[in-house]
Amino acid sequence: MTAIPDEAAYLAAAARRLLDEKTLASTVDWMTEHAGPTVSGRPWSTTTLRRRLRNPAIAGLRENADGELVKGPAEPLIDRETFDALQELFTRNERGQGDKPKHVHYLSGGIATCGLCRHPLVSRSTANGGRGYVCEAEGCGKVRISAEPLDDYVGERVLAHLQDKARLKWLVAIRDQFTAEAKKAAVFLEQLTAHKAELARAYGTKDLTLAEFKAAKAALDGKRKEAMSAERRGKALEELPKLTPEGLEEWWTATAGRGQKRTLVQLVVAEVRVGPATVRGSRRFDEARFDIDWR
């Protein structure tokens, strides 16, 4: 109802930046740099900023029982014209994204496995132009399924799984652990150039043999890949909403992109075993084909 003084002016400025054709990603970085972290202490994310700027309360409005926007009790930070222009911009961007092929599947990367041979399923195009998960293991190849229905089914199971308070508490702990690892990774990556220079000096002064230099450089390169992976994972987890059953469900249905949903699914699901269709050529979605192992 009442604006947070240290944040209000920056939110209004962020709205103007977006309407001046700045990207959402660059505006998020600008918010973190100039406005500081959100009230939860985390850097701004595209999900958080979009949710704030889509909330009618930012313009002093609320939605009535007929779905119309009317004057509300909140203190307005932007005027109605700016708010409407923002909603049009977000809707236009969403339409543009909807025209692109969806290649981000929740279970890619080895989580979906063949229920017969246990080999990871791979993502492939289907005959009708969609995408599917297929077993291509030598001597098997008997399992295939459309990706979208299976992804949607697993997503629903994930939300149901996280209704339990103990599981949510576990998820908070994992998120915090990975976020801390991402911060350490960022520090390591900043220092990586100095580490490599030090290694080169040691080789130049003959403190290291060529074999020792190559081994040390390979170890640094391996740590670099691990650090970059940790940094990407931490960035993705920063975009998770408030971890409550209601917060997760609203985020999943209203604001999360497929990449963000994939992050959550792969955080809590260890494996989805997919069995063959019980009736050859059947298009019926059969829940009995799937077994989910949770982390």
Side-chain angles (χ1 to χ4, degrees), residues 153-165:
Y153 168 74
V154 173
E156 291 171 3
R157 291 288 302 276
V158 165
L159 288 180
H161 183 74
L162 293 175
Q163 295 296 307
D164 182 86
K165 289 184 179 179

Side-chain angles (χ1 to χ4, degrees), residues 21-226:
E21 300 186 354
K22 303 292 185 183
T23 66
L24 189 59
S26 68
T27 303
V28 162
D29 292 338
W30 180 86
M31 283 290 290
T32 299
E33 180 181 355
H34 292 88
T38 65
V39 291
S40 65
R42 297 184 177 279
W44 286 84
S45 69
T46 54
T47 300
T48 301
L49 184 58
R50 187 190 297 110
R51 187 165 57 237
R52 296 286 182 89
L53 296 179
R54 289 213 120 180
N55 188 343
I58 198 172
L61 303 170
R62 66 174 180 83
E63 194 172 285
N64 65 16
D66 296 323
E68 301 170 333
L69 291 180
V70 298
K71 182 176 175 57
E75 178 184 346
L77 306 185
I78 58 176
D79 57 38
R80 176 64 185 267
E81 183 180 358
T82 300
F83 177 77
D84 288 342
L86 275 176
Q87 308 322 301
E88 183 180 345
L89 173 66
F90 287 134
T91 301
R92 189 165 63 246
N93 289 343
E94 287 169 357
R95 287 195 189 115
Q97 291 173 354
D99 293 335
K100 299 175 183 177
K102 297 177 180 178
H103 295 309
V104 180
H105 299 307
Y106 307 160
L107 308 180
S108 58
I111 287 185
T113 62
C114 174
L116 298 176
C117 69
R118 299 298 290 273
H119 275 72
L121 301 182
V122 295
S123 176
R124 291 287 182 262
S125 296
T126 59
N128 61 5
R131 303 288 288 185
Y133 296 116
V134 180
C135 175
E136 294 185 345
E138 186 176 353
C140 185
K142 298 176 181 177
V143 168
R144 62 178 57 238
I145 187 170
S146 294
E148 296 290 336
L150 179 56
D151 283 346
D152 291 343
Y153 168 74
V154 173
E156 291 171 3
R157 291 288 302 276
V158 165
L159 288 180
H161 183 74
L162 293 175
Q163 295 296 307
D164 182 86
K165 289 184 179 179
R167 291 167 181 156
L168 272 181
K169 187 176 180 180
W170 169 86
L171 181 58
V172 170
I174 291 296
R175 181 193 63 186
D176 292 346
Q177 173 192 332
F178 286 167
T179 301
E181 289 176 0
K183 290 178 180 178
K184 290 181 182 178
V187 172
F188 171 79
L189 289 171
E190 287 178 1
Q191 298 171 344
L192 186 60
T193 301
H195 289 323
K196 287 189 173 181
E198 183 180 346
L199 195 61
R201 281 194 300 270
Y203 176 64
T205 57
K206 306 299 182 183
D207 291 335
L208 293 176
T209 65
L210 179 59
E212 290 171 334
F213 170 76
K214 288 182 176 180
K217 184 177 181 299
L220 270 183
D221 288 340
K223 289 182 179 179
R224 173 180 172 274
K225 289 181 180 178
E226 292 175 2

